[in-house]
Amino acid sequence: MRPLHVVILAAGQGSRMKSALPKVLHKIAGLPMLHHVIGTARRLGAENIHGVIGHGADLVRAETQGDDLQWVLQEQQLGTGHAVAQTLPNLPDNARVLVLYGDVPLIRTDTLQQLVAGIDDQTLGLLTVTLDNPDGYGRILRDGAGEVTAIVEQKDATAEQKLICEVNTGILAVSAARLKSWLPQLSNRNAQGEYYLTDIIAMAVGESMAVRVNQPENPYEVQGVNNRLQLAELERWFQRQEADRLMTEGATLADPGRVDVRGKLTIGNDILIDINVVFEGEVELADGVSIGPGCVIRDSRIAAGAVIHAHSIVDGAEVGVAAQVGPFARLRPGTRLAADTKVGNFVETKKAIVGEGSKISHLSYVGDASLGRNVNVGAGTITCNYDGVNKFQTVIGDGVFVGSNTALVAPVTVAEGATIGAGSTITRDINARELAVARGRQRNLADWARPEKKS
Ligand code: UD1
Ligand code: CA
């Protein structure tokens, strides 16, 4: 099979975005548009990806990594044909070339697979779409037999041609050898004074090549982004597809329009996701997991039957089987909750290992700590893990009972079965089954006369 090379045009300024950021770095589902396209090119098995950059080139390059990427600078944007021509020296003669666009982010891999599969030395593949309103697009011209003969740009089209509703998506596939012979012949004698890539269609027909047309399943696949309204429109389409996938795979969504997936979400069966939940990075939800409204779940694994109650943030954490988290909990990176644990409201954890059956139910901070099984951490408990310079560990054994409003000044170890009296500030290790009380002793003074207001 001849190698596939993908050219991605991304040199335009995108002035209608009204942004300091190059257009192709604006994000859909948390990922720059250009990265969506690069991901698609990789899934197609591209040997090399040629990015044509111009406006914001340094930033685009800095934000985009990969050994398979080759950048070419198009100093002046003289047209799509001129843009592709910049990559010719880097294209092997035997390559098949697919042209994509950095601002057409949601083109599907299988649509392109079909397009590319249909081409050979004698066949050019063209992706078109039929629109109710074709305004602004290049129109597809066909002869009496229905064969494509050329593309005419809107600004060069006659009134009659403007009635054609089949338009050019800009996406096409053809052999590198043909591109190398055609692109140097392009002229810019047209309404826009540009070198049009679209003119190669008539050249192909002139050389008796076949033009094979494919269409995407959904027009959103080939919709470009010129402003933030179109960006939002594609974001919603993307998210609706993710929602549909989740429902198909076994999740009940309280509202498919109010869940956002910005990354890779893997789910089991019988998942419940309430409204306004955001998933970021790589997240796995096992069977029977339930996520309450307003949660943010990032780079985490949540085991079967666990419940994340409303307005919790779970970030870089592992949540064990049937664990209960929140409402209003914040699990920070390095948190590992074993099975049947509970982390309740207004509790923050960080690098905290929590053993099976342990509970931190209210208003606590547990950081750089490891807790055994069946530990009960009372309300208002703080691990004082930081002296302003260094972080220290708190180690708590199985079955420890930590009274409310305890400060554990790390490094400190509380051995199994120990009990800490409420309001203690613990600065020394506690042995197994000891009671530690570290607070001022209560004094009651009899017949205390309160001060009276002076008249
Ligand atoms: C192009 C097609 C048109 C098609 C439409 C689909 C041509 C001549 N016309 O028109 O048939 O219907 O796309 O959206 O190809 N770019 C560069 N360098 C350049 C010029 C453009 O990188 O010198 C990039 C732009 O950043 C943009 C893309 O190519 O991402 C398309 O360019 P644009 O000028 O928007 O083409 P259209 O006029 O929309
Ligand atoms: Ca355009």
Side-chain angles (χ1 to χ4, degrees), residues 230-306:
Q230 292 167 335
L231 187 71
E233 203 183 335
L234 284 193
E235 176 78 37
R236 281 307 104 207
W237 182 62
F238 181 95
Q239 293 300 346
R240 181 63 214 211
Q241 283 184 300
E242 277 296 285
D244 289 354
R245 172 182 72 85
L246 293 173
M247 291 187 287
T248 307
E249 291 179 1
T252 295
L253 305 183
D255 180 352
R258 282 185 289 173
V259 55
D260 277 20
V261 180
R262 303 174 190 153
K264 183 166 177 255
L265 174 58
T266 311
I267 63 162
N269 292 343
D270 295 312
I271 305 294
L272 275 177
I273 301 174
D274 213 319
I275 60 168
N276 295 337
V277 176
V278 177
F279 296 95
E280 297 181 341
E282 289 208 11
V283 174
E284 282 177 43
L285 308 180
D287 290 350
V289 165
S290 165
I291 314 281
C295 291
V296 178
I297 317 286
R298 178 186 306 126
D299 292 322
S300 293
R301 296 221 313 260
I302 302 181

